[in-house]
């Protein structure tokens, strides 16, 4: 895709967590029958977790709904932060880290065109999770490389890194993450079917869509700039 002459290897995004000895990681590729921007929207709005992923990384729907979504525009991206202090840890967190009480949970998402890094995790409540003191807690760092194939199909390359390194735990985290992303895939494909059946229907954003909306605006701006350049070059 695109003009090979314009490719610049220095612009390939780095993901240094893959070579960080404090983390173990696994990766996969899913072929998704849905438009790539549906995947962007899904990942930028983690309020879907309790509805789609109650068996793994979900949690209380009401808590997710009430959690404030803070977004920041970056020079070439969007950052989303959500915090859930003193909350019940979801099943994957308990299985991987053995939490017994309430946790201070975080969700931090960084979008840059077009990949998404998501750092989620938790520490025992009141032990410094929000002061940058997280090594004693549980971290899952997801890398989402979203590659359009056609208007309605997408290559979804992803990896999941975790700092829970005990025997078998990285595989457990990978397996539960893969199960989780299969649930997302099913939703995206159903969304695409609905869109195909009624393509002119207008989409409506709700409050928790703020991160996805900013990502979409950035993508639109980049497409416009590229088209302007092409027109200039042709002139
Ligand atoms: Fe999901």
């Amino acid at each position: 895709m695109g003009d090979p002459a314009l490719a610049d290897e220095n612009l390939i995004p780095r993901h240094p967590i893959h070579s960080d000895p404090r983390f173990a990681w696994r990766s996969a590729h899913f072929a998704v029958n849905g438009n790539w921007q549906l995947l962007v929207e899904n990942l930028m709005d983690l309020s879907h977790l309790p509805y789609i992923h109650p068996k793994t990384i979900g949690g209380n729907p009401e808590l997710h709904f009430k959690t404030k979504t803070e977004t920041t525009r970056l020079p070439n991206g969007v950052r989303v932060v959500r915090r859930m202090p003193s909350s019940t840890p979801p099943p994957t967190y308990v299985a991987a880290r053995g939490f017994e009480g309430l946790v201070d949970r975080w969700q931090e998402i960084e979008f840059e065109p077009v990949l998404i890094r998501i750092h989620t995790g938790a520490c025992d409540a009141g032990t410094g999770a929000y002061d940058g003191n997280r090594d004693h807690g549980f971290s899952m760092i997801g890398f989402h490389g979203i590659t359009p194939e056609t208007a309605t199909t997408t290559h979804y390359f992803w990896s999941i890194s975790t700092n829970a390194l005990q025997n078998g735990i990285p595989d457990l985290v990978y397996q539960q993450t893969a199960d989780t992303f299969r649930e997302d895939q099913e939703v995206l494909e159903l969304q695409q079917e609905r869109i195909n059946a009624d393509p002119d229907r207008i989409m409506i954003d709700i409050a928790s869509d703020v991160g996805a909306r900013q990502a979409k605006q950035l993508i639109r701006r980049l497409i416009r700039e590229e088209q302007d350049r092409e027109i200039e070059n042709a002139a």
Side-chain angles (χ1 to χ4, degrees):
M1 287 188 295
D3 180 354
L6 295 175
D8 180 352
E9 276 188 29
N10 292 317
L11 296 178
I12 296 173
R14 308 291 167 209
H15 194 54
I17 211 82
H18 280 172
S19 47
D20 186 327
R22 295 171 302 165
F23 286 82
W25 62 277
R26 309 277 185 271
S27 64
H29 162 259
F30 288 180
V32 178
N33 287 317
N35 180 274
W36 62 281
Q37 292 202 56
L38 294 175
L39 188 50
V40 173
E41 288 171 29
N42 171 282
L43 293 163
M44 293 302 285
D45 177 11
L46 298 187
S47 70
H48 76 267
L49 266 52
Y51 302 98
I52 314 291
H53 312 305
K55 287 180 290 207
T56 54
I57 56 168
N60 181 335
E62 205 180 329
L63 168 72
H64 273 265
F65 191 72
K66 280 195 299 205
T67 297
K68 200 164 172 279
T69 302
E70 287 172 30
T71 65
T72 316
R73 283 169 197 262
L74 308 173
N76 185 36
V78 178
R79 180 176 165 81
V80 175
V81 175
R82 287 159 53 86
R83 288 179 173 178
M84 285 167 270
S86 292
S87 56
T88 304
T92 296
Y93 290 30
V94 174
R97 204 46 147 183
F99 289 114
E100 290 177 356
L102 298 179
V103 296
D104 290 341
R105 191 175 168 187
W106 65 85
Q107 300 174 325
E108 296 168 355
I109 310 170
E110 267 180 24
F111 166 85
E112 60 178 282
V114 168
L115 63 90
I116 297 176
R117 297 185 182 86
I118 302 183
H119 186 182
T120 52
C123 294
D124 286 314
T127 61
Y130 302 137
D131 307 319
N133 179 16
R134 294 171 171 178
D135 286 352
H136 60 293
F138 173 58
S139 278
M140 293 173 72
I141 299 181
F143 179 92
H144 307 267
I146 300 161
T147 307
E149 184 188 43
T150 69
T152 57
T153 58
T154 301
H155 290 290
Y156 182 16
F157 300 94
W158 60 268
S159 78
I160 192 76
S161 307
T162 181
N163 68 339
L165 302 180
Q166 309 92 294
N167 205 5
I169 299 294
D171 290 318
L172 173 104
V173 169
Y174 167 77
Q175 196 49 58
Q176 296 206 357
T177 302
D179 293 347
T180 301
F181 293 172
R182 287 292 181 201
E183 291 171 336
D184 287 310
Q185 180 178 8
E186 191 180 341
V187 171
L188 298 182
E189 294 182 350
L190 289 168
Q191 273 184 288
Q192 188 64 56
E193 277 180 32
R194 279 295 281 144
I195 292 168
N196 292 348
D198 194 357
D200 296 326
R201 187 134 168 181
I202 290 168
M203 300 253 202
I204 294 170
D205 289 326
I206 57 171
S208 59
D209 284 313
V210 57
R213 196 170 58 234
Q214 293 195 4
K216 271 191 286 187
Q217 284 169 355
L218 176 57
I219 291 166
R220 266 203 300 271
R221 196 192 77 209
L222 290 169
I223 291 173
R224 221 172 28 237
E225 287 173 1
E226 188 178 81
Q227 287 169 342
D228 287 349
R229 273 197 306 274
E230 279 169 11
I231 291 167
E232 269 172 42
N233 291 344

